[in-house]
Amino acid sequence: MVNTALVPKPPVTDVWVAATWDEFLAASAQSELEQSSCYYDLGMMRIETMPIGFAHGKDNSTLAMVITLFGTMRNIAFSALTNASFRKLGERECQPDLAFYIGQDLPNIPRSNSPIDADQHGAPTLVIEVAATMLSDDLGQKR
């Protein structure tokens, strides 16, 4: 007989649910959610598992190229990030489609796949979320 109290429950996905910061960290660290986007905002978490296909990828790439070309042509210093995670410890975490630090004083962020510490490196200057099917959510709490 298996003790079901010791078997972790799969997290609720694709909706906002009440959660503590520790619950969010535990849920987002599960290996089966490695390809998911995880968000946390003021006591609520959302783990998105919806597949991202051609339309989303095309829009994302086009926007990245336009901003990169503009910055390059205008000789503007910038650092571009795709699908990076930004964390304000104990309070918020988000994974926008595109993020840009812009200006002469770009943060020196160590090369790793850990979430970027917003307290240490600041928030990006420009953040872009490519709206898929849940436009109301992209314009709501996720924003």
Side-chain angles (χ1 to χ4, degrees):
M1 183 174 204
V2 176
N3 182 351
T4 57
L6 300 177
V7 178
K9 295 179 184 176
V12 176
T13 60
D14 302 309
V15 294
W16 287 96
V17 296
T20 66
W21 179 253
D22 289 335
E23 290 169 331
F24 167 73
L25 290 178
S28 62
Q30 293 184 25
S31 61
E32 64 269 15
L33 298 175
E34 216 168 72
Q35 299 301 314
S36 301
S37 293
C38 303
Y39 304 90
Y40 187 84
D41 184 41
L42 305 173
M44 301 292 287
M45 78 172 179
R46 178 183 175 98
I47 298 173
E48 285 186 356
T49 59
M50 66 179 149
I52 297 175
F54 176 80
H56 187 276
K58 180 82 170 165
D59 294 345
N60 198 358
S61 295
T62 301
L63 287 166
M65 286 188 288
V66 166
I67 293 167
T68 299
L69 181 60
F70 180 84
T72 302
M73 299 286 290
R74 298 288 178 128
N75 201 28
I76 299 170
F78 65 92
S79 179
L81 301 157
T82 302
N83 298 324
S85 188
F86 298 89
R87 178 177 288 172
K88 186 159 179 64
L89 190 61
E91 200 175 312
R92 290 194 171 110
E93 184 162 335
C94 64
Q95 296 170 325
D97 292 315
L98 297 168
F100 294 84
Y101 286 97
I102 301 170
Q104 294 304 314
D105 296 322
L106 298 174
N108 185 15
I109 300 170
R111 184 171 173 82
S112 78
N113 285 324
S114 298
I116 296 166
D117 183 342
D119 288 320
Q120 183 178 3
H121 302 292
T125 312
L126 174 65
V127 173
I128 298 173
E129 181 69 23
V130 176
T133 57
M134 297 294 293
L135 185 58
S136 62
D137 189 54
D138 284 332
L139 294 174
Q141 187 164 8
K142 218 166 104 176
R143 180 179 62 158

